[in-house]
Amino acid sequence: MTLFLQDIEIREAAFKWLDEQCFIHDNVVSRSIITNGFYFKGERITLAGPQGIWKPKSMVLPISITSVLNSHYKDSMEPLGLLHYKFRGENPFHPDNSGLREIMRLRLPLVFIQNLEKGKYFPMYPAYIQSEDRINLAFLITIDNQTPNYTSITEDSEVEYGRRTYITTTTLIRAHQQQFRIDVLRAYHNQCSLCNLKHPELLDAAHIIPDKEEMGHPVINNGIALCKIHHAAFDRNILGIDPDYTVHVRQDILQEIDGPMLKYGIQSLQGQQIFLPKKKIEHPDQERLEIRYGQFLEAG
């Protein structure tokens, strides 16, 4: 087997392995998992290392690029659905940059690893280098959701290019939502603001204003940490939170007679204050709460 064919096999194995890890860890993978990697025919394949452009010893060309939070490399999203990834250094012909250029020429896929916070990463794959911007020392990248086709290295059609830029945009939205969840749960010390449940796997970052609405930005003060039951109750206006951070339970629910879950899990919250983050700047935005509480009153 040539080194090039082995390179392709490793990429296929890496994508399958990442599918498993993303499923297990809800798409947010720790740095230790990424750097420890997996075994391919007895050899360890790591997916990240000290440099942002990473090539394991067993491979001919890079397998991943990592966008590091607060790095001096200013990676960004282009208006037309392209990821903007900076060269390593200012020399376009640095070996790492040349490796990515060869990836681009051969139309090979790799993994784009987005850092969400220290030690937490959101892998996006297969990623393709569409072009390079020598003036701004950057590669332009799209994300796909289909199995790579290694039999063709022809240029993308206009339809294919449009499909990939759309997928890139939607994938970045998912990354931002994961970032939102991490930020909100951290602000609330990984506990439900209503019942103090402290199991992150059972917690959500609930939007006060839904993300599809004008004020629904994925920022901490548009979020409240809620367990999955209280998140569902909040979304369906079974309970509301007023601008003074007081919980209100819908009147028909208060009058309902059922088991202990309703009595202690919902009805007992009437009139309670929610648990707030320590930093005032991270408290739920009172203007947004007023809007959302108005919707709760209308639903009642």
Side-chain angles (χ1 to χ4, degrees):
M1 179 186 297
T2 67
L3 288 176
F4 181 74
L5 290 177
Q6 177 171 291
D7 191 285
I8 290 176
E9 282 195 355
I10 293 174
R11 289 174 199 278
E12 292 177 336
F15 297 150
K16 289 179 181 178
W17 179 79
L18 279 171
D19 285 343
E20 296 172 359
Q21 300 305 313
C22 288
F23 177 79
I24 293 169
H25 301 284
D26 195 23
N27 295 310
V28 178
V29 183
S30 70
R31 179 167 178 80
S32 61
I33 290 174
I34 292 290
T35 54
N36 286 335
F38 64 98
Y39 282 95
F40 175 82
K41 296 183 178 179
E43 293 188 55
R44 183 187 294 276
I45 306 297
T46 57
L47 293 190
Q51 289 80 39
I53 301 170
W54 184 245
K55 182 185 79 67
K57 292 181 179 179
S58 303
M59 299 188 72
V60 179
L61 295 169
I63 193 171
S64 72
I65 48 181
T66 301
S67 181
V68 180
L69 194 68
N70 297 324
S71 169
H72 62 281
Y73 292 99
K74 300 298 183 181
D75 304 322
S76 63
M77 182 76 178
E78 289 291 300
L80 298 177
L82 296 169
L83 288 165
H84 195 258
Y85 189 82
K86 285 291 187 179
F87 287 174
R88 180 174 179 183
E90 296 184 357
N91 176 11
F93 300 102
H94 183 286
D96 285 351
N97 298 327
S98 296
L100 291 186
R101 195 169 292 111
E102 186 67 3
I103 287 277
M104 176 178 67
R105 186 184 73 82
L106 295 172
R107 315 296 294 163
L108 291 176
L110 38 67
V111 182
F112 189 102
I113 305 173
Q114 178 66 56
N115 175 228
L116 300 180
E117 70 167 8
K118 185 176 181 180
K120 294 184 178 180
Y121 294 85
F122 185 85
M124 296 180 278
Y125 58 94
Y128 292 89
I129 301 174
Q130 297 291 147
S131 59
E132 63 175 307
D133 179 354
R134 290 280 180 92
I135 295 175
N136 294 303
L137 301 176
F139 292 102
L140 301 178
I141 297 165
T142 56
I143 309 298
D144 205 346
N145 61 358
Q146 295 186 0
T147 302
N149 179 8
Y150 299 103
T151 62
S152 173
I153 59 172
T154 58
E155 291 294 321
D156 294 335
S157 66
E158 186 174 340
V159 171
E160 180 71 2
Y161 179 80
R163 184 184 66 81
R164 282 188 180 170
T165 55
Y166 173 77
I167 291 167
T168 304
T169 302
T170 56
T171 302
L172 260 292
I173 290 172
R174 288 170 49 222
H176 291 155
Q177 292 301 331
Q178 289 289 357
Q179 180 75 66
F180 173 69
R181 181 178 186 276
I182 288 170
D183 290 343
V184 171
L185 295 193
R186 182 180 63 243
Y188 285 82
H189 300 285
N190 287 309
Q191 66 185 66
C192 175
S193 64
L194 299 188
C195 67
N196 298 325
L197 181 70
K198 296 180 175 66
H199 289 271
E201 63 272 25
L202 298 176
L203 300 179
D204 293 331
H207 287 78
I208 299 171
I209 302 297
D211 56 2
K212 293 182 180 179
E213 297 184 17
E214 185 178 351
M215 295 176 67
H217 309 118
V219 293
I220 293 176
N221 59 11
N222 186 40
I224 303 175
L226 295 174
C227 69
K228 294 186 180 297
I229 288 177
H230 290 138
H231 185 186
F234 181 69
D235 281 354
R236 288 160 180 76
N237 291 315
I238 289 173
L239 57 82
I241 301 170
D242 70 25
D244 295 322
Y245 309 124
T246 301
V247 181
H248 300 263
V249 180
R250 205 172 67 205
Q251 193 60 37
D252 63 313
I253 301 296
L254 281 175
Q255 295 172 353
E256 187 176 333
I257 298 174
D258 202 343
M261 183 63 228
L262 179 66
K263 181 177 181 180
Y264 298 108
I266 302 290
Q267 293 171 335
S268 65
L269 297 174
Q270 174 72 11
Q272 287 190 19
Q273 293 280 299
I274 70 170
F275 168 79
L276 293 170
K278 287 185 178 180
K279 297 178 181 178
K280 190 170 182 178
I281 195 173
E282 295 178 340
H283 287 190
D285 177 51
Q286 290 175 302
E287 182 183 357
R288 287 183 170 97
L289 279 176
E290 185 174 5
I291 294 170
R292 185 61 184 268
Y293 185 61
Q295 296 171 357
F296 165 77
L297 293 176
E298 289 178 4

